[in-house]
Amino acid sequence: MISVIGAGPAGSHYAWKERILHDSEVHLFEEHKIVGKPVACTGILTDSVNSVIKIPKELVVSKINKFKIVAPNGKFIYIDLKKTNMVLDRARFDQFLFNKAEDVGVNVHLGERFIGYKKKDNYYQLKTSKRVYETEMIVGADGPRSQVAKAADIYGNRKFIWGWQARARFPDLEEGTTEIRLDLGEFSWIVPEDNNIARVGVLGVKNQKLLNDYKKLLGASKIFEDQSGLIPLYNPKQKLRKGKEDIFLVGDAATQVKATTYGGIIYGLIAGAYLAENKDTSVKRFNEKLGKDLWISLQMRELLNHMREEQANELIEIFQKQNNAKILSEHDRDFPSKFIVQLLMKEAKLWKLGFQIFKNKIIK
């Protein structure tokens, strides 16, 4: 028996793939009675997700063809996307993956919370809020504050940020265009579902200033649904497996979130797939193939967080150049290693600006 804790995208996708590849007895535990609720995610995905799973059309709420990035001084650039992004109905997306797992014979346990486990000779005694199970393997896909990671003593030194977000009726939306503002929080966003409703949010350290920035962004908008939540910061030293034991972490539970935009769905799906394909090589494979991109994203976020307003304005001016904007438009932001070198080679001003921001970080 394999026990998967958490029926988010990473957990459900792993459970499904493990079942179809190896015909394993898989049990999927979810503490909530309804999968996908509450929502705490913007639900925007790049085209790269199609290399992992095919998204049914009925899950796509809207499509994003361009990004509008606004500097603190009000100047902005448009980045036309070579490949369209999808804005998903996030709750239905989670339910879709969960249903796929259940349809292939995964045993599902809704409203059943993981309590802990005890190691026996050749199995684990897993305790939930309802009963005790004997299991040979435990996969923690249970979110940023993973109880599996804590129970296995591989929680590590975690840091978090907070994302305030709501679905709201928002004025003057540009349908098909995601707006990113650099003057509120670490950054803020407006992702339209149509020409009236958007997913509006801001993220950063959870304090009064961030809340004030959020209120400023929302203005007089009418809120339909709060979608705020905790987001883990990627930790390159995070253990994805407890020694040589059969206890693993995937997704947010493993801090597999890119720090530039704090999206983690694609990384969690890939991590789950790797684990199902070969548990003994999955950690090495993930770190070799995706660790670099997560690390680069973390370094980029560190620099962006130390930018002064005038430097953020200059960054937008740099990307107003057609060649620079073209590089951004043609590459997938989920994998910065594929375009960051091109940008640095073609734009000397980025080097200069980067050194200036690095000085800000040292002085601070």
Side-chain angles (χ1 to χ4, degrees):
M1 172 178 166
I2 297 174
S3 299
V4 185
I5 312 302
S12 290
H13 185 61
Y14 163 75
W16 167 78
K17 201 168 185 71
E18 175 66 37
R19 177 68 180 168
I20 63 171
L21 288 180
H22 308 294
D23 196 28
S24 306
E25 180 189 352
V26 183
H27 289 248
L28 180 57
F29 298 86
E30 170 56 48
E31 65 177 345
H32 298 99
K33 292 182 179 179
I34 300 176
V35 171
K37 297 291 183 102
V39 173
C41 175
T42 306
I44 183 170
L45 293 178
T46 66
D47 182 73
S48 61
V49 72
N50 287 310
S51 66
V52 185
I53 56 170
K54 299 301 179 185
I55 305 294
K57 292 181 179 179
E58 58 268 24
L59 300 185
V60 180
V61 176
S62 65
K63 295 183 178 181
I64 301 299
N65 301 305
K66 65 177 65 176
F67 271 65
K68 179 182 181 181
I69 307 176
V70 185
N73 64 6
K75 291 185 178 181
F76 58 86
I77 56 169
Y78 282 101
I79 304 296
D80 294 313
L81 301 177
K82 184 177 181 181
K83 294 183 178 180
T84 301
N85 287 188
M86 296 171 285
V87 181
L88 302 184
D89 181 325
R90 179 55 203 273
R92 288 185 65 197
F93 174 63
D94 284 21
Q95 291 158 9
F96 161 72
L97 294 173
F98 176 81
N99 290 337
K100 277 184 65 178
E102 188 175 23
D103 288 346
V104 297
V106 171
N107 299 278
V108 299
H109 305 261
L110 294 177
E112 191 165 352
R113 182 168 54 89
F114 170 81
I115 301 296
Y117 75 89
K118 291 182 180 179
K119 190 176 187 308
K120 300 297 182 178
D121 289 338
N122 58 353
Y123 67 93
Y124 300 99
Q125 193 177 69
L126 185 143
K127 184 179 181 181
T128 73
S129 55
K130 293 186 177 180
R131 55 167 286 195
V132 174
Y133 301 83
E134 290 185 4
T135 186
E136 287 77 44
M137 179 171 166
I138 302 173
V139 178
D142 51 337
R145 295 196 184 278
S146 172
Q147 295 304 306
V148 173
K150 290 178 180 178
D153 197 27
I154 53 173
Y155 190 75
N157 181 24
R158 298 191 176 207
K159 296 180 180 179
F160 306 94
I161 62 162
W162 183 260
W164 288 108
Q165 178 175 281
R167 289 184 69 242
R169 190 176 298 280
F170 202 85
D172 304 321
L173 290 174
E174 296 182 55
E175 198 166 353
T177 300
T178 287
E179 183 172 325
I180 302 294
R181 299 182 182 178
L182 302 181
D183 62 335
L184 299 174
E186 290 190 9
F187 67 91
S188 61
W189 61 91
I190 303 163
V191 179
E193 293 186 2
D194 52 33
N195 58 5
N196 291 307
I197 297 174
R199 301 173 190 183
V200 183
V202 60
L203 50 71
V205 177
K206 191 178 184 181
N207 54 27
Q208 188 59 46
K209 181 182 182 306
L210 186 69
L211 181 58
N212 292 341
D213 284 349
Y214 181 50
K215 291 178 178 178
K216 182 179 179 181
L217 178 67
L218 283 171
S221 301
K222 180 182 178 181
I223 295 176
F224 297 119
E225 179 184 1
D226 176 64
Q227 298 180 334
S228 305
L230 192 71
I231 305 168
L233 189 66
Y234 172 63
N235 179 6
K237 296 182 179 180
Q238 174 63 52
K239 292 181 180 179
L240 307 184
R241 182 178 188 178
K242 180 177 175 62
K244 293 184 179 181
E245 293 188 36
D246 284 337
I247 299 179
F248 299 84
L249 303 177
V250 293
D252 283 9
T255 75
Q256 292 165 336
V257 175
K258 64 180 184 297
T260 43
T261 63
Y262 294 108
I265 292 177
I266 184 65
Y267 284 95
L269 293 174
I270 294 173
Y274 286 173
L275 181 58
E277 287 163 9
N278 188 326
K279 67 179 182 180
D280 292 319
T281 62
S282 64
V283 171
K284 182 179 180 182
R285 187 178 176 192
F286 183 90
N287 287 333
E288 287 181 349
K289 289 185 175 293
L290 299 174
K292 179 170 65 175
D293 285 297
L294 286 170
W295 184 85
I296 290 172
S297 294
L298 186 64
Q299 304 313 307
M300 291 170 66
R301 173 50 53 198
E302 280 282 318
L303 288 175
L304 290 169
N305 285 352
H306 286 88
M307 274 197 311
R308 296 169 180 161
E309 281 198 6
E310 65 272 16
Q311 292 169 332
N313 296 333
E314 184 181 350
L315 182 66
I316 295 302
E317 289 181 6
I318 290 172
F319 285 118
Q320 283 177 331
K321 291 184 179 181
Q322 185 176 356
N323 288 341
N324 296 336
K326 184 180 179 183
I327 291 174
L328 291 181
S329 69
E330 291 181 346
H331 290 85
D332 192 325
R333 63 183 177 277
D334 282 326
F335 306 105
S337 63
K338 296 181 179 180
F339 65 83
I340 191 67
V341 174
Q342 288 187 51
L343 278 173
L344 292 173
M345 288 179 65
K346 290 189 175 183
E347 185 52 73
K349 287 184 178 180
L350 271 178
W351 284 99
K352 182 180 178 182
L353 179 61
F355 282 125
Q356 291 172 350
I357 298 171
F358 185 70
K359 286 181 180 179
N360 300 344
K361 181 180 176 181
I362 294 175
I363 293 171
K364 185 175 180 179

